[in-house]
DNA sequence: TCAAAAGTGTTTAAAGTACACCCATGA
DNA sequence: TCATGGGTGTACTTTAAACACTTTTGA
């Protein structure tokens, strides 16, 4: 069959912006780049798209290789395609952002990477346009989480309302009223109260909740205004 | 400098889903494909990314070449990258959706394309996965327009409230109360009433409005719930 | 017994929704 | 003069926001 002759072929990479939450702060998982150039510099984890895989599969593969995790929340953010963004050779990158439970991340023994969690407000200079990717991912996370219940993805299977509230407060850098917060969250009917308390963070202990996965999936696209004045966050 | 050896390079294309509104229905601008294979079949307009341009520039170029328009609302939708989506040769496509004033589209005399507007609810079978791109663009348009005032992009510079309402009703396939609609739209303070009436569509005539571009740009990312129950529309 | 965090209800304000009549005009 | 579409206001309901005290318990 005819080929598309005289057209330029380009390297394509998938890069992942991986978010985590340690109970206090939002974190970003970065790796020390193995390839030249810039070997040893901090970067997002990424890899070239292989002949037999789609971009989403490439992102999943890269994420799995680093963290050992599958079934992770992974969303296409956007493409980065300035011709000179990679000084070695033209590479178009498709950025994905991932939300993972930070406790689940176990560095693979046979990893090629040195990986580390950094505070999202203070992380090292990154290679190429990775800084811009992180900024865009942060904006997207804020935008999306203002309407969709995706922040659960950053918490363990069992979590408390105060933990969840801290997460929202951290993501949006605001303080929220716990009475209004719990009413709003519980009115979505996505959470089930367990008869177990978290005694680590207070004497009285806070009830654990878990996601009702069925309802979560069914209502995943539902829109709720979780955050006051979501105007501020855009995408 | 070292190159990234042994990595697969891939063709990259930008495809545009171009929406218009004729006053009654949403329209889709399609072209008859010039290239083999599938020459003569209907498809989205698109083109391969050139060495010196970004993906966004490629999309703008393709759109400009077809319509003669610049400064068009153009938003990256997502990538389409199944290895076998193009039977000739692997091509990753980045889909963009565009909103244009249908009256402004003048087919270029020297076009390579035969282009035509189709009703969004009834258009021919498209090549490859272009059908899927259109569906995704439609969903994104509904999602985005439920919160952001982007539908103005589909109207002429001067338009009336009844026209705008028809557009919303068409996009969401709902009927809206004109009193509530005008109150909500005007409360955004994005529109300026002109002292001129559209007498084409009624005897009494409806006042023309125009966008206050300054406020429009400033508030572009603002979030307003223009549509009741936006739950239904997602992205 | 007290310090620290968890849990809970009510009142008020704002936003959204439903609804019906008069107006201007050309045919 | 009448048929057609344009324009406007009000009452009601729902939702969001502000706000303070009691409970539990480990140290």
């Amino acid at each position: 069959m005819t080929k598309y002759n005289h057209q330029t072929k380009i390297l394509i990479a998938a890069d992942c912006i991986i978010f985590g939450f340690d109970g206090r702060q939002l974190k970003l998982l970065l790796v020390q780049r193995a390839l030249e150039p810039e070997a040893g510099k901090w970067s997002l984890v990424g890899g070239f798209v292989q002949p037999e895989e789609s971009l989403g599969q490439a992102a999943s593969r890269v994420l799995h290789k680093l963290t050992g995790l599958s079934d992770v929340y992974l969303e296409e953010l956007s493409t980065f395609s300035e011709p000179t963004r990679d000084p070695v050779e033209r590479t178009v990158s498709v950025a994905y952002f991932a939300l993972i439970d930070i406790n689940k991340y176990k560095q693979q023994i046979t990893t090629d990477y040195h990986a580390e969690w950094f505070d999202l407000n203070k992380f090292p200079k990154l290679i190429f346009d990775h800084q811009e990717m992180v900024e865009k991912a942060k904006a997207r996370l804020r935008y999306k989480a203002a309407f969709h219940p995706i922040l659960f993805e950053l918490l363990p299977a069992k979590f408390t309302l105060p933990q969840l509230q801290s997460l929202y407060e951290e993501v949006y850098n605001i303080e929220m009223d716990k009475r209004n917060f719990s009413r709003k969250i519980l009115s979505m009917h996505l959470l089930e109260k367990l008869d177990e308390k978290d005694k680590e963070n207070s004497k009285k202990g806070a009830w654990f909740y878990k996601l009702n996965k069925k309802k979560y999936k069914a209502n995943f696209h539902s829109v709720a205004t979780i955050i006051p004045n979501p105007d501020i966050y855009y995408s």
Side-chain angles (χ1 to χ4, degrees), chain A:
Chain A
M1 208 170 200
T2 328
K3 293 257 178 185
Y4 302 120
N5 291 319
H6 313 302
Q7 292 295 343
T8 311
K9 294 187 184 182
I10 300 174
L11 288 168
I12 308 182
D15 289 312
C16 294
I17 299 101
I18 306 174
F19 292 109
F21 180 62
D22 67 359
R24 306 193 159 275
Q25 290 178 310
L26 274 178
K27 299 283 187 175
L28 187 59
L29 188 55
L30 299 174
V31 300
Q32 277 183 310
R33 184 171 158 95
L35 285 179
E36 286 297 344
E38 311 268 13
K41 298 268 180 71
W42 291 101
S43 96
L44 296 170
V45 64
F48 292 109
V49 176
Q50 300 301 306
E52 70 293 343
E53 68 184 359
S54 68
L55 275 158
Q57 285 164 348
S60 293
R61 170 174 57 76
V62 152
L63 186 64
H64 181 264
K65 190 173 172 207
L66 174 62
T67 64
L69 300 176
S70 315
D71 289 321
V72 165
Y73 183 92
L74 191 63
E75 178 179 328
E76 185 178 324
L77 180 62
S78 83
T79 56
F80 291 80
S81 60
E82 283 303 317
T84 58
R85 56 176 292 281
D86 184 326
V88 181
E89 193 170 354
R90 184 168 192 192
T91 307
V92 165
S93 169
V94 182
Y96 285 78
F97 79 96
L99 306 179
I100 75 176
D101 170 7
I102 202 169
N103 306 296
K104 276 196 187 154
Y105 165 60
K106 302 253 160 40
Q107 195 173 339
Q108 296 297 90
I109 298 163
T110 59
T111 185
D112 298 334
Y113 315 94
H114 172 229
E116 207 172 309
W117 285 106
F118 288 90
D119 186 333
L120 190 52
N121 294 310
K122 196 184 166 191
F123 57 89
K125 203 164 170 299
L126 303 179
I127 62 163
F128 306 166
D129 49 5
H130 286 195
Q131 175 78 33
E132 192 189 336
M133 292 181 183
V134 172
E135 294 305 326
K136 202 161 180 174
K138 214 162 123 183
R140 176 73 66 87
L141 177 64
R142 285 182 159 195
Y143 178 75
K144 185 119 187 186
F147 299 105
H148 303 278
I150 58 172
L151 294 183
F152 299 109
E153 304 284 353
L154 290 165
L155 294 175
K158 294 189 302 187
F159 55 87
T160 67
L161 288 183
Q163 281 168 2
L164 185 61
Q165 184 175 339
S166 303
L167 174 52
Y168 275 93
E169 291 179 333
E170 167 69 8
V171 170
Y172 293 98
N173 198 29
I174 53 174
E175 301 212 329
M176 301 174 84
D177 181 281
K178 61 181 173 178
R179 291 161 290 192
N180 294 339
F181 180 79
S182 86
R183 192 184 312 112
K184 193 171 273 189
I185 292 291
L186 294 176
S187 74
M188 293 190 224
H189 304 293
L190 296 178
L191 298 189
E192 284 174 17
K193 194 184 204 166
L194 304 178
D195 46 7
E196 188 186 352
K197 279 187 162 183
D198 165 35
K199 309 279 285 190
E200 292 206 352
N201 297 298
S202 72
K203 294 163 183 168
K204 182 178 179 180
W207 291 108
F208 276 121
Y209 287 79
K210 67 167 188 177
L211 262 186
N212 180 322
K213 295 232 169 125
K214 235 180 186 169
K215 291 187 184 173
Y216 180 55
K217 281 179 188 164
N219 296 316
F220 184 75
H221 295 298
S222 73
V223 171
T225 53
I226 301 163
I227 300 298
N229 303 319
D231 298 38
I232 314 164
Y233 316 103
Y234 56 87
S235 184

